[in-house]
């Protein structure tokens, strides 16, 4: 496990964080405060939101390669996700977050670390390709099918989808709602894909390119979790001040 700090990874995480802050501010402004629900359905907004989430998950998978305390880190990230669930349930139940991106990343860290010694024996290019294929195949589990992204190849049985006990895996009934939802099927495999991508970079001996520093993004990228935890109350406060003054 390398002790070298690859600053470009922090910068890429920081770039994803800046995108997330901008997206959440606009979401709070138009949807939460402005009741303009159609804003979130615009194609460019959907693509932007997916780009942000995919960026965070891939970078988190990459970063597992450098983690010395993956289990502890995974538990901390999970605890933060559960804290967000509790806060949203009390403060904004109409925007409750159940198994959001923090729980996905926390669980993925723990599960991937548990099989890491076997994953490390695989060719990273084959591993990345297989992980991405599994991500595509299970992408529709929460919509009761498997296939290739939005293309359904096999409908899953109704009895599995009568409760919400397995919502963490993407299996839930029609009453389930979460404002931020990333079930293990299929997003765990995107995390694993990120884990393999860094190993592919190392096999190609491209690590030197990741020592490039982008100071501002590099700095905020090191404090992503803390910024994530405090950003929404601050953004919501700004939005309420704006709408209160209108």
């Amino acid at each position: 496990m390398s002790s070298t700090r690859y600053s470009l990874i922090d910068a890429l995480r920081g770039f994803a964080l800046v995108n997330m802050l901008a997206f959440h501010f606009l979401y709070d402004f138009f949807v939460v405060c402005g009741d303009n629900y159609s804003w979130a359905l615009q194609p460019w907004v959907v693509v932007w939101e997916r780009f942000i989430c995919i960026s965070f998950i891939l970078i988190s998978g990459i970063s597992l390669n450098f983690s010395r305390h993956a289990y502890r880190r995974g538990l901390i990230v999970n605890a933060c996700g559960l804290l967000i669930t509790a806060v949203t349930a009390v403060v904004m139940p109409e925007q409750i977050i159940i198994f959001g991106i923090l729980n996905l990343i926390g669980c993925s860290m723990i599960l991937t670390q548990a099989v890491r010694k076997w994953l490390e024996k695989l060719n990273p290019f084959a591993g990345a390709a297989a992980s991405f294929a599994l991500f595509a195949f299970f992408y529709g589990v929460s919509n009761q099918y498997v296939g290739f992204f939005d293309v359904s190849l096999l409908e899953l049985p109704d009895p599995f989808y009568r409760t919400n006990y397995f919502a963490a895996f993407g299996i839930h009934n029609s009453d389930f709602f979460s404002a931020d939802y990333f079930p293990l099927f299929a997003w765990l495999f995107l995390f694993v894909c990120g884990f393999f991508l860094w190993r592919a970079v190392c096999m190609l001996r491209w690590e030197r390119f990741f020592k490039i520093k982008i100071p501002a993004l590099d700095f905020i990228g090191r404090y992503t979790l803390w910024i994530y935890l405090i950003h929404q109350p601050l953004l919501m406060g700004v939005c309420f001040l704006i709408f209160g003054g209108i």
Side-chain angles (χ1 to χ4, degrees):
M1 187 181 299
S2 173
S3 59
T4 304
R5 187 90 192 187
Y6 294 101
S7 297
L8 186 58
I9 295 176
D10 290 321
L12 292 172
R13 190 185 298 109
F15 177 71
L17 181 62
V18 169
N19 270 274
M20 182 201 70
L21 294 173
F23 177 86
H24 281 172
F25 175 74
L26 293 175
Y27 183 90
D28 294 342
F29 185 88
F30 288 109
V31 179
V32 179
C33 294
D35 291 328
N36 180 8
Y37 295 96
S38 63
W39 180 85
L41 301 178
Q42 296 178 76
W44 70 271
V45 175
V46 174
V47 171
W48 187 23
E49 187 266 346
R50 290 290 96 171
F51 168 76
I52 295 168
C53 299
I54 288 170
S55 299
F56 270 120
I57 295 167
L58 282 176
I59 293 169
S60 297
I62 288 171
S63 299
L64 183 66
N65 287 282
F66 314 111
S67 179
R68 289 184 171 84
H69 306 286
Y71 290 121
R72 185 176 70 186
R73 182 70 173 171
L75 290 172
I76 291 171
V77 174
N78 256 315
C80 292
L82 293 174
L83 176 63
I84 289 175
T85 297
V87 171
T88 53
V90 173
V91 178
M92 297 182 65
E94 70 280 2
Q95 291 291 325
I96 189 172
I97 293 175
I98 301 173
F99 212 85
I101 195 165
L102 289 186
N103 287 120
L104 178 273
I105 290 174
C107 287
S108 295
M109 291 175 71
I110 293 169
L111 293 172
T112 306
Q113 181 67 18
V115 296
R116 180 171 175 168
K117 64 180 180 180
W118 291 289
L119 296 180
E120 290 176 342
K121 295 178 181 178
L122 301 177
N123 178 283
F125 295 97
S131 299
F132 188 80
L134 289 170
F135 171 60
F137 181 72
F138 288 110
Y139 188 79
V141 165
S142 61
N143 291 317
Q144 205 174 333
Y145 72 85
V146 291
F148 185 79
F149 290 118
D150 291 332
V151 178
S152 173
L153 298 179
L154 177 66
E155 295 291 324
L156 298 176
D158 287 333
F160 293 155
Y161 289 82
R162 290 177 183 170
T163 73
N164 293 324
Y165 295 127
F166 303 104
F169 298 95
I171 301 171
H172 55 79
N173 62 32
S174 58
D175 296 327
F176 178 82
F177 172 78
S178 176
D180 181 48
Y181 181 50
F182 291 90
L184 289 167
F185 288 112
W187 296 94
L188 166 64
F189 299 108
L190 189 65
F191 180 96
V192 176
C193 183
F195 174 80
F196 279 119
L197 284 177
W198 179 253
R199 305 188 74 79
V201 166
C202 293
M203 182 172 284
L204 294 169
R205 299 184 178 179
W206 288 355
E207 305 101 303
R208 64 188 184 277
F209 298 116
F210 288 83
K211 294 181 181 179
I212 297 170
K213 291 187 177 182
I214 306 177
L217 292 177
D218 169 83
F219 177 78
I220 65 174
R222 297 186 185 196
Y223 301 98
T224 302
L225 181 59
W226 296 109
I227 296 173
Y228 188 94
L229 289 174
I230 67 173
H231 83 282
Q232 271 292 43
L234 296 176
L235 294 180
M236 286 296 298
V238 172
C239 288
F240 284 134
L241 286 174
I242 293 172
F243 274 82
I246 294 176

